[in-house]
Amino acid sequence: MAAQVGAVCLAGPTAAGKSAIALAFAARHAVEIVSVDSALVYRGMDIGTAKPSPAERAAVPHHLIDILDPAAAYSAARFVEDARRLVREIRARGRLPLLVGGTMLYFKALREGLAAMPEADAATRAALDAEAAERGWPALHADLARVDPATAARLPPNDAQRIQRALEVWRLTGRPISEWQAGGSAAAAAQAADWPLVALEPASRAWLHERIAARFDAMLAAGFVDEVRALRARGDLHPGLPSMRAVGYRQAWAALDAGDLDPLRDAGIAATRQLAKRQLTWLRSTPRDAVVACDETQAEARALAALERAAGG
């Protein structure tokens, strides 16, 4: 089975149950899991990322977890390099690589290729951060809408990381990031069949919202705020870093800055819901080999059967 595809991909919004299904599939087959998550790469960010437990990671080999310090940056390009290397190594061991996560840009980059966009420029980013501090990210979102309406239309007004990147590319090149992205590798796109994707998509948005709220409450009860306090206490981290922009961490940092934790629960749940909405929008616009309604009673059985088919079993 493992030799018939490059890897099997399991994608879905946050709190859709991806990890449980992946572990159930791994219990049946010789599988190694490759995380497709831009926050799980960071050490010391365990509670707020719902990182697999030590027992789960001992039961099934997991990759691309705890590989970076939160002060570092990780990119889609590096993910593709790391993931392709790991897939080769896992297949060489006679096992099936199972890519699991919700960072949709990483899936897109892996399956369709990346446009050769300019690298990050520290001076441009600093200038944008300064403008955002003075005018607010919604104002910069409005700036983006004037030069790249296609990108602005798909980004929320407070999506600081993506607004900054889109404006950075515009300022560095004079071309909208949407044009760069449209010029991705057609050859890589043709290889998407080597990366079959099973998508978990709930039929009921209310079901997902309930799970998001329950999970955020569990994170708070498990000591999430203390985790963020410990990260702040290091002294070398700040809210502008990709790690600290992760959903939940950004809201907790702001609440600690304000000295008022009361709004944190509502802010964290709202931000997670927005993330899930973006993830679902992406999933519904991309080719999938199977779609499983993760809120139906037989969801796990259907998802496992879809993974079997995707793996060629």
Side-chain angles (χ1 to χ4, degrees):
M1 176 178 66
Q4 297 186 32
V5 295
V8 176
C9 302
L10 178 63
T14 184
K18 298 182 295 295
S19 295
I21 289 170
L23 290 168
F25 186 71
R28 300 182 176 191
H29 302 288
V31 163
E32 296 188 30
I33 293 173
V34 178
S35 169
V36 187
D37 190 297
S38 60
L40 291 187
V41 297
Y42 293 112
R43 294 185 289 271
M45 296 172 58
D46 303 330
I47 298 171
T49 62
K51 197 169 284 182
S53 69
E56 290 168 338
R57 292 164 68 179
V60 181
H62 285 67
H63 303 277
L64 299 188
I65 295 176
D66 289 342
I67 62 170
L68 283 182
D69 185 86
Y74 196 67
S75 66
R78 180 170 170 188
F79 167 78
V80 170
E81 180 181 342
D82 288 343
R84 289 184 178 274
R85 170 182 53 79
L86 286 164
V87 164
R88 290 193 300 270
E89 293 172 357
I90 293 166
R91 291 190 61 187
R93 291 192 285 271
R95 301 171 72 86
L96 175 68
L98 178 61
L99 279 66
V100 183
T103 299
M104 303 309 174
L105 174 62
Y106 289 4
F107 279 118
K108 177 178 175 65
L110 182 66
R111 300 174 83 228
E112 300 177 22
L114 278 172
M117 285 186 286
E119 295 184 359
D121 181 80
T124 303
R125 291 196 168 191
L128 288 165
D129 282 335
E131 290 177 39
E134 181 179 347
R135 301 168 55 212
W137 285 108
L140 271 69
H141 182 271
D143 292 348
L144 178 63
R146 287 189 284 273
V147 299
D148 189 356
T151 299
R154 65 179 177 80
L155 298 182
N158 285 303
D159 192 342
Q161 186 171 358
R162 290 175 178 83
I163 293 169
Q164 182 190 62
R165 177 57 175 160
L167 286 172
E168 175 188 37
V169 170
W170 167 258
R171 292 186 181 185
L172 289 173
T173 69
R175 288 177 59 196
I177 196 171
S178 54
E179 286 187 10
W180 286 93
Q181 291 168 337
S185 167
Q191 297 172 13
D194 289 337
W195 310 92
L197 187 145
V198 175
L200 302 181
E201 301 176 19
S204 167
R205 192 68 60 89
W207 175 89
L208 187 62
H209 288 178
E210 289 177 7
R211 286 175 62 90
I212 286 170
R215 190 165 80 164
F216 199 79
D217 284 338
M219 289 175 179
L220 291 173
F224 176 48
V225 174
D226 287 338
E227 180 174 85
V228 179
R229 282 196 180 102
L231 291 166
R232 286 164 58 94
R234 288 178 33 155
D236 62 336
L237 303 179
H238 58 82
L241 290 168
S243 60
M244 294 300 102
R245 287 178 175 173
V247 167
Y249 289 88
R250 182 169 67 247
Q251 289 73 32
W253 193 292
L256 289 167
D257 271 348
D260 182 7
L261 294 176
D262 288 343
L264 173 56
R265 179 182 184 272
D266 288 346
I269 290 172
T272 309
R273 286 182 177 182
Q274 291 168 2
L275 170 63
K277 182 179 179 180
R278 294 195 297 272
Q279 291 168 319
L280 285 167
T281 297
W282 182 87
L283 276 172
R284 289 165 182 163
S285 68
T286 198
R288 295 97 86 205
D289 294 83
V291 177
V292 176
C294 50
D295 51 343
E296 65 178 27
T297 54
Q298 298 298 317
E300 182 173 304
R302 291 179 185 275
L304 292 175
L307 290 170
E308 293 272 5
R309 291 192 297 271

